[in-house]
Amino acid sequence: METPSPRKRGRPPKNSKLANYPASTGSQSNSRTDVAQVTKPDAGMVNHSNNNNSNSDSRKADAKEGDDLEMIEGGTIPPSRPGQRGRPKKSLMAKTGEPAGSDDVKDAPFMDAVVKVFCVHTEPNFSLPWQRKRQFSSNSSGFIIKDRRVLTNAHSVEHHTQVKVKRRGSDTKYLATVLAIGTECDIAMLTVSNDEFWEDVTPVEFGSLPRLQDAVTVVGYPIGGDTISVTSGVVSRIEVTSYVHGATELLGVQIDAAINAGNSGGPAFNDRGECVGIAFQSLKHDDAENIGYVIPTPVINHFITDYARNGDYTGFPILGIEWQKMENPDLRKALGMMANQKGVRIRRVEPTAPAAKQLQSSDILLSFDSIDVANDGTVPFRHGERIGFSYLVSQKYTGESARVRILRESKIKECDIHLANHNRLVPAHIKGKPPAYYILAGIVFAAISVPYLRSEYGKDYDYDAPVKLLDKLLHAMSQTDEEQLVVVSQVLVADINIGYEDIVNTQVLAFNGTSVRNLKHLANMVENCRDQFLRFDLEYQQIVVLEAAAAKAATPEILSTHCIPSAMSDDLKT
């Protein structure tokens, strides 16, 4: 991950929220306004697939999490604010004085390509990994593109059991198949096998990246009603943005059109009826109003091209460095930079990234693919605009190479860097796989991930989780491709484990003197151990010691007591 400083990866202020939410219609004990994850590098946002037990419950949840937010109902157009500039005189909703419900709007082909997405989710239970949570339903938006494909948000169909789509004006819901889920970019691709679904529909065409103050129209199915909704606004900002669901940073477009629960996956059109983005999250903060975000066409096209090339989603590559700005003149002079040289200092290189073979700490990154990098880490973007150089990296595809120029010990060097996916020590997602676990004598071992921390400590896990785990989450890097952070998740109380009942979410460092690489490594060592005692060295200088034969003999009865089908997850058995 390219990050300029430790502060950038720190905790967000608690009075702000960056979020995305599908509108849920299923039954669940708590109203789910947050199907997608809240990442914690920046201020919080809200992702917008709409999940609610009822419309009123969703509104209450949104208002509570948004700090006295003024709710804007999904189908209304936000009024012009005094002194507001850039509001278009004409838009797709009302042309030359015609009312919003005129035939001009009804007949617009892009409107008929917008669909409603219904999904039944069955999420894993990370705290009890041998079972799943109760299923719930959500609805969001999507739109039809060429080649019989439908695009929506990844968080709209995450952990899906069943997905259905319904066209505008139709009374039929069609079963859909999920072809690809792009976790980092929060885009999912669907298809429908029923030919009837594709009759008399014009696929949406994509436009170019919009410019500031360009008019945009967001179309979808947000809360506040069942029919299609249209809101309008202008492009407010274009920059590299934190993607809540993907726990990454990619190009994003900020708009002032209302984006509410259920808008997730809906298209944003320009005044020519071309799609310029996909609605996916908004900013909820005391001092912010009408700040929504759409995924721009360069990111969408990257996802579509990636799927076309590989038959699946392979992700967005990273350079694999952390860097520091070089704005201080004394710092530049001390590191041997000439007055006319600009760049950023490489703080750390991911050990598992291909760049680790060629880059090292205190190298100065001068250029990426022949584009000079400024002292603040930006590169030229468009006229009058600059953007973080990570944008250049995100334009590449996994497996491609980039030519970088560096300054090392006052000498310029050039090298070709292979680009690969980010291998996080604490994964932001498990990408549809069931969580892994291993149980011995009632002691439950698990691998740490962001969904696990959220399950254990709630949405404020970055404040409430143990400091040692948070330090690993924010700053630690994987030393090998298969490294995991293994913890004692909990202890299922039994006579065999007396005295260990209070050990919770504590890292396992070693077993019988051998460092633990990952959960499968630990399970294999325990299962094949022939020693009399089993010793687990934990964080904080704690140890757990069990008599081997007694511990293994007691395990089946404990599993039976708690109705656990197996002592280990299926992925550990192979």
Side-chain angles (χ1 to χ4, degrees), residues 167-483:
R167 285 180 53 183
R168 179 191 181 205
S170 172
D171 60 353
T172 304
K173 298 177 183 177
Y174 298 89
L175 285 173
T177 302
V178 178
L179 298 177
I181 294 179
T183 304
E184 292 90 346
C185 60
D186 200 4
I187 304 175
M189 181 184 291
L190 320 176
T191 190
V192 175
S193 58
N194 194 322
D195 293 336
E196 183 180 295
F197 176 80
W198 306 101
E199 293 177 358
D200 301 322
V201 63
T202 302
V204 166
E205 297 291 337
F206 291 105
S208 59
L209 187 68
R211 293 191 172 272
L212 296 180
Q213 293 192 335
D214 278 1
V216 288
T217 302
V218 178
V219 184
Y221 293 87
I223 58 172
D226 294 326
T227 57
I228 199 166
S229 168
V230 180
T231 57
S232 67
V234 296
V235 174
S236 308
R237 180 181 292 151
I238 300 175
E239 64 181 359
V240 174
T241 303
S242 292
Y243 278 49
V244 174
H245 181 72
T248 188
E249 293 186 344
L250 297 170
L251 186 66
V253 174
Q254 178 185 320
I255 62 175
D256 68 352
I259 296 179
N260 297 305
N263 270 127
S264 278
F269 295 103
N270 61 20
D271 54 8
R272 295 182 297 277
E274 299 168 329
C275 176
V276 294
I278 302 175
F280 75 119
Q281 63 188 26
S282 66
L283 179 65
K284 302 295 183 182
H285 190 274
D286 289 341
D287 300 326
E289 293 182 4
N290 284 352
I291 296 182
Y293 294 87
V294 298
I295 305 167
T297 47
V299 177
I300 301 171
N301 289 331
H302 188 289
F303 170 82
I304 294 173
T305 303
D306 187 14
Y307 179 80
R309 287 183 180 182
N310 304 289
D312 200 359
Y313 171 76
T314 63
F316 287 74
I318 63 163
L319 187 55
I321 64 170
E322 291 182 353
W323 53 272
Q324 174 186 358
K325 295 179 180 180
M326 294 289 290
E327 295 175 316
N328 185 278
D330 295 334
L331 177 61
R332 294 198 299 272
K333 186 182 297 183
L335 292 178
M337 294 180 68
M338 304 293 290
N340 62 341
Q341 290 179 326
K342 295 182 179 181
V344 294
R345 174 182 172 267
I346 296 175
R347 292 173 44 236
R348 293 196 297 173
V349 183
E350 296 266 5
T352 58
K357 300 175 182 177
Q358 295 161 291
L359 303 180
Q360 61 188 41
S361 179
S362 287
D363 283 348
I364 309 301
L365 179 63
L366 302 176
S367 70
F368 182 92
D369 269 353
S370 301
I371 299 177
D372 292 337
V373 179
N375 292 326
D376 62 354
T378 62
V379 294
F381 185 47
R382 297 189 298 194
H383 178 70
E385 298 177 80
R386 299 188 66 85
I387 197 166
F389 83 91
S390 63
Y391 166 72
L392 302 178
V393 183
S394 69
Q395 293 296 99
K396 295 282 191 175
Y397 292 86
T398 302
E400 291 185 345
S401 296
R403 190 156 189 81
V404 301
R405 191 168 81 254
I406 61 172
L407 182 70
R408 179 183 298 169
E409 298 176 352
S410 301
K411 296 180 180 179
I412 294 179
K413 300 181 64 175
E414 291 193 2
C415 51
D416 292 321
I417 304 293
H418 184 75
L419 301 176
N421 295 117
H422 194 186
N423 183 33
R424 302 174 189 265
L425 178 61
V426 181
H429 289 270
I430 60 171
K431 299 185 178 179
K433 300 177 183 177
Y437 70 91
Y438 176 66
I439 302 175
L440 174 72
I443 300 175
V444 181
F445 300 92
I448 291 292
S449 63
V450 170
Y452 177 89
L453 293 176
R454 185 176 295 103
S455 175
E456 289 286 289
Y457 300 102
K459 281 182 274 191
D460 288 331
Y461 66 86
D462 61 323
Y463 291 90
D464 299 332
V467 172
K468 291 274 190 179
L469 296 184
L470 290 178
D471 180 65
K472 298 286 197 310
L473 168 66
L474 295 173
H475 304 297
M477 294 179 172
S478 297
Q479 300 301 310
T480 64
D481 290 336
E482 297 180 349
E483 184 178 2

Side-chain angles (χ1 to χ4, degrees), residues 51-211:
N51 89 8
N52 50 51
N53 292 334
S54 69
N55 285 342
S56 59
D57 289 343
S58 287
R59 287 192 288 270
K60 290 176 184 177
D62 291 341
K64 180 177 68 174
E65 293 177 5
D67 304 316
D68 298 327
L69 294 176
E70 178 182 352
M71 275 302 292
I72 301 176
E73 294 298 331
T76 62
I77 302 172
S80 299
R81 295 181 291 277
Q84 184 178 13
R85 301 179 62 187
R87 180 67 62 181
K89 296 179 180 178
K90 292 200 302 181
S91 77
L92 291 169
M93 268 103 58
K95 295 190 177 182
T96 60
E98 293 180 3
S102 69
D103 289 340
D104 223 4
V105 175
K106 291 180 181 178
D107 295 337
F110 66 84
M111 296 282 282
D112 291 333
V114 181
V115 301
K116 193 169 186 176
V117 179
F118 302 84
C119 184
V120 177
H121 309 258
T122 309
E123 291 187 338
N125 189 332
F126 289 89
S127 298
L128 302 173
W130 48 86
Q131 63 186 34
R132 286 183 172 261
K133 295 180 181 179
R134 184 174 182 176
Q135 70 180 24
F136 65 95
S137 302
S138 74
N139 60 76
S140 55
S141 307
F143 59 98
I144 297 170
I145 62 173
K146 64 180 182 179
D147 299 328
R148 296 166 64 102
R149 302 286 188 254
V150 174
L151 292 186
T152 186
N153 281 145
H155 70 264
S156 300
V157 295
E158 187 180 32
H159 305 303
H160 62 278
T161 301
Q162 183 186 77
V163 180
K164 293 181 288 187
V165 293
K166 185 174 73 170
R167 285 180 53 183
R168 179 191 181 205
S170 172
D171 60 353
T172 304
K173 298 177 183 177
Y174 298 89
L175 285 173
T177 302
V178 178
L179 298 177
I181 294 179
T183 304
E184 292 90 346
C185 60
D186 200 4
I187 304 175
M189 181 184 291
L190 320 176
T191 190
V192 175
S193 58
N194 194 322
D195 293 336
E196 183 180 295
F197 176 80
W198 306 101
E199 293 177 358
D200 301 322
V201 63
T202 302
V204 166
E205 297 291 337
F206 291 105
S208 59
L209 187 68
R211 293 191 172 272

